[in-house]
Amino acid sequence: MAPRPREDETELRSSPTLIGPEADHPLPAGDDFGLGGDTLGIHDGDLNDSIQHVLRRNCDAVYKLAASRTLELSKVAGKIGKMIAADMEARLLRATRAKGRGNNSRDKGRNSSSLDTWALDILEWTKSQPLPLGNESDGGGDSDESQYSDESNHTGIYADYVATFFESLMLFVAHHINEYFMHDRASRFLGPEDCRLILPIARNNKEAKGSDASSVAYVDPADFAAFEYGVFPIGSSVERQVAPAPHLVVGGAEVVRHKSDYGEAEQRLAKKTKALFFSQHNRRFAWGLTARSCTARAYVFGMDDIWASTDMDIASTEGRQALISLLVGWSLCPVDRLGFDPSIRYSPIWSSVNPYLEIDVYEVDENMSHARKRTYYSQRCIGAADRLTGRRTRYFAASTNPKSMGEPAFLIKDVWSTSDSGSANDTRESSVLNILHAEFDGSSEFSDSFAQLISAGPVDIRQGDALVVDTTDTAFAGLPSISQARQHRRTVTKLEGSLISEADDENQVVVAIADTMTVLNAAYAKCKILHGNISDRAILLQGAADGIKGVLADFDYASSAGDNVVETPESMLFQSILSLENSGTGRSPLEDAESLFYLACILGTFGINREQRAEFVADPDMPILDWSKGTAAKIADTRRLHLLTEGIFVKRVQSRMRDGPLRNLALDMYRALFRHPGTFGPVEITNAELAEIRDNDIAAALRALPEINGTRDALALRNLFVNEIIRNLLEIVARHRDTALAILNSGVASTAPMAATRPSAGPSLKHYRDEVPLAGPSKRPHH
């Protein structure tokens, strides 16, 4: 793609700040409500099936992704790679001959230079063989020197040893790169941003359980081992490093012992990579490594695809050269090819006291002729990328002045969106916001109810001398993919107030939910627009004449009524049942209302702000925890079960919420959404049950619903009563809002929240619910 003309080109940086002091902790990431980072993503138990679906094997084009774009650096990389390979082969040959003469003691090798010691490790690695499952005795039960020196024991080599050998090869390569750039004067003109060391990070064979990093399980080093590797400046000590600043980690490596465990290694690597996306806010894609015995593989984790190389056989010269070339490539390639985002930089002077990000946004004029860069500063990522694949949406509270980061005035959304809009600068969100403001800016009631758009457009990154739009096509050129192309986009809106998940009082949240319900109704009534992505990050709290009000933002999934869901939003925790199932039922205003209901339940359970969530200790058996586990279809089935009757909802969800106004609001909203007299709730009715329904009108309506595996979804029946249900909801939230505002304006904390109320009587079908046995969540396939 041709570069666009731009102003102030001299200010553009060619790379992010990757080298800096160590930090005690990263820039704060978004809250996950205590759900182990799975609030918006794939639960760990489902990772294996998920990665197998998108994994492209035997793809050696991944090596080209690590290559330099410039001829100059390509020549340097080739020269260094050949030099390292030649030295390694020579040392391996000497070690082999010495062993043949009987000098096979590993202790003697330890008295040699580091290069000779690492070469001995690499030699042992070339001889290791995978252990067939069930033959653990081949490996011996002792971790003594015979594991290295006795060739008969190589069939049982411990995974921990293989990991050590892998690290030694990485150190061997890093040593030569360090020496080359420290002493070769001809290479110094390349600059520190063009070269780096890739070094292993010291490991402790511990693996955290869930989201509690203090609760760890020891991994058997015989069967599994893992280590991370990171970016370090030229001149660093070539050794296993202590943990660097978290944003300097490049990726992870997983090592397994058994032949049948390679899939387990990939699943473990996917889990670690998912955590990397969550913690590194400038991570576009990620690299990974696996090893089993004397073979290794390289992986690239993209937005919708995962690519794996063919096996690199360390026992062969070609296999060793391939791995050397990959490590040299990582050391000399542009930082964007390591997966980092050059337009998001961690602060040059990194510290745990004052960490912040520099985020570049290119504002393009109407003619798309000039791109002016504006840099924002952020100390808070209020929504981290919480999925292994997909849009990887991140939210930042930011300021245009680093001195005012404590009071951010802008909300930046960074997302990899499918390329479905008319032009690169016209996103779905900007189009919807323009429509809404055109309709409501003259309204006294809704003029300030929607987020104010500052800018929206693609992210630009430098490739050589050109500034190009960051897309999956440009990022992964040459890698095979059948996925839809994605474009990296950044939207900036005004942040007037704070997010709903940063409230001080539950009554503020009640007011915000009530206002959002009213605003959603107005957007649908006037413009037929549905939001589609209600979450804790889509509602802002803002000052108003009567104290406080809610403002609606984040319209990236907005659509017209009746449209089917094309792409499930990442915030599955708040999605309606029918949206999760993507059953073909046209969307209605009830889907957004249902999302508000889930928001009330979640905030009312885990806490309305960081302080409350930090203090919250979840019972591992809490049913609401299952609202974040598994696939979209599994979550939908779980919710159907928890919302089947009012008694079940109260017992499993509502009674476990905090004692406050959200608890009663949730119950009233449940009754309006799922117990309307004209519907059967979130159940699925079999043909036999349908035959027992005596009301001909209701029976006819149910028969008109799609039949799947002998059942019909009665939840879809509520679309016949959309207007009535919405009216009931508006009355409910208005009553709760009035009570909440009265308490807030009195300055007294709520001790007696408004009691939940029964819905008004309508065309009663209670006898059907009481007399007809209704099916629970079905086992039918979801589409």
Side-chain angles (χ1 to χ4, degrees), residues 110 121 191 221 279 309 419 552 556 623 710 735:
R110 291 301 182 194
D121 283 344
S279 62
S309 70
S419 301
L552 193 55
D556 218 23
R735 291 197 302 270

Side-chain angles (χ1 to χ4, degrees), residues 314-336:
I314 308 304
S316 70
T317 301
E318 295 78 8
R320 292 191 292 272
Q321 289 177 345
L323 185 52
I324 290 171
S325 297
L326 178 66
L327 295 175
V328 172
W330 284 354
S331 301
L332 275 71
C333 71
V335 290
D336 65 280

Side-chain angles (χ1 to χ4, degrees), residues 588-659:
S588 79
L590 296 178
E591 315 311 316
D592 286 339
E594 189 178 331
S595 294
L596 281 176
F597 161 71
Y598 296 134
L599 180 62
C601 293
I602 293 296
L603 294 180
T605 300
F606 297 98
I608 59 172
N609 52 42
R610 280 174 167 264
E611 290 73 22
Q612 289 188 5
R613 288 190 283 277
E615 296 170 357
F616 179 77
V617 179
D619 179 347
D621 296 325
M622 286 183 69
I624 200 172
L625 294 175
D626 293 331
W627 287 12
S628 70
K629 296 180 180 179
T631 62
K634 183 178 179 181
I635 293 173
D637 275 349
T638 299
R639 289 185 185 166
R640 285 182 181 273
L641 179 62
H642 293 172
L643 305 175
L644 190 60
T645 68
E646 182 175 319
I648 292 176
F649 168 67
V650 169
K651 180 179 180 180
R652 298 197 177 189
V653 180
Q654 196 251 5
S655 64
R656 297 171 182 253
M657 294 173 65
R658 296 167 180 263
D659 188 13

Side-chain angles (χ1 to χ4, degrees), residues 152-395:
S152 66
N153 282 329
H154 279 300
T155 57
I157 199 72
Y158 283 0
D160 189 52
Y161 290 159
V162 173
T164 299
F165 302 158
F166 206 145
E167 292 172 324
S168 293
L169 190 147
M170 194 171 282
L171 292 169
F172 191 98
V173 172
H175 173 89
H176 281 282
I177 292 174
N178 207 32
E179 291 295 308
Y180 182 87
F181 285 103
M182 289 291 290
H183 302 295
D184 188 337
R185 294 182 180 180
S187 66
R188 293 183 181 177
F189 72 93
L190 294 174
E193 72 277 2
D194 296 317
C195 52
R196 62 199 71 89
L197 299 181
I198 304 296
L199 296 174
I201 299 168
R203 52 200 162 93
N204 55 13
N205 286 326
K206 292 181 181 181
E207 185 174 276
K209 285 183 177 179
S211 60
D212 185 4
S214 64
S215 175
V216 295
Y218 284 87
V219 178
D220 185 355
D223 294 331
F224 298 101
F227 64 93
E228 292 180 325
Y229 38 92
V231 171
F232 295 87
I234 296 295
S236 298
S237 176
V238 180
E239 60 185 353
R240 292 171 180 83
Q241 299 285 331
V242 296
H247 61 284
L248 303 182
V249 176
V250 173
E254 292 289 333
V255 182
V256 293
R257 183 187 192 195
H258 300 300
K259 287 182 177 179
S260 61
D261 282 339
Y262 224 106
E264 175 71 12
E266 292 174 338
Q267 184 175 356
R268 293 163 66 87
L269 179 62
K271 180 179 177 181
K272 296 285 181 63
T273 304
K274 181 184 171 188
L276 192 67
F277 284 123
F278 184 80
S279 62
Q280 288 187 344
H281 308 313
N282 65 338
R283 171 64 63 182
R284 296 161 63 241
F285 64 88
W287 287 89
L289 296 166
T290 59
R292 185 193 66 197
S293 65
C294 62
T295 60
R297 293 178 189 167
Y299 298 79
V300 173
F301 289 81
M303 291 72 193
D304 298 287
D305 301 275
I306 303 172
W307 296 275
S309 70
T310 53
D311 285 350
M312 293 174 279
D313 184 3
I314 308 304
S316 70
T317 301
E318 295 78 8
R320 292 191 292 272
Q321 289 177 345
L323 185 52
I324 290 171
S325 297
L326 178 66
L327 295 175
V328 172
W330 284 354
S331 301
L332 275 71
C333 71
V335 290
D336 65 280
R337 291 199 164 186
L338 282 177
F340 293 109
D341 184 349
S343 66
I344 298 182
R345 300 174 296 277
Y346 282 77
S347 51
I349 304 177
W350 180 264
S351 72
S352 60
V353 178
N354 187 35
Y356 67 90
L357 295 173
E358 298 176 355
I359 305 173
D360 292 337
V361 176
Y362 284 90
E363 299 174 352
V364 186
D365 63 15
E366 295 180 356
N367 298 322
M368 297 287 290
S369 59
H370 285 78
R372 183 175 68 89
K373 185 189 74 171
R374 172 173 288 184
T375 299
Y376 292 82
Y377 303 88
S378 174
Q379 285 184 312
R380 176 114 187 259
C381 176
I382 57 181
D386 205 10
R387 280 180 103 171
L388 180 66
T389 57
R391 296 162 64 90
R392 301 224 179 93
T393 308
R394 297 178 172 96
Y395 300 82

Side-chain angles (χ1 to χ4, degrees), residues 685-695 699 702-703 712 772:
I685 298 176
T686 66
N687 289 331
E689 293 164 347
L690 179 59
E692 298 182 23
I693 296 179
R694 296 184 294 275
D695 188 300
L702 288 171
R703 288 192 186 95
R712 289 174 172 84
V772 178

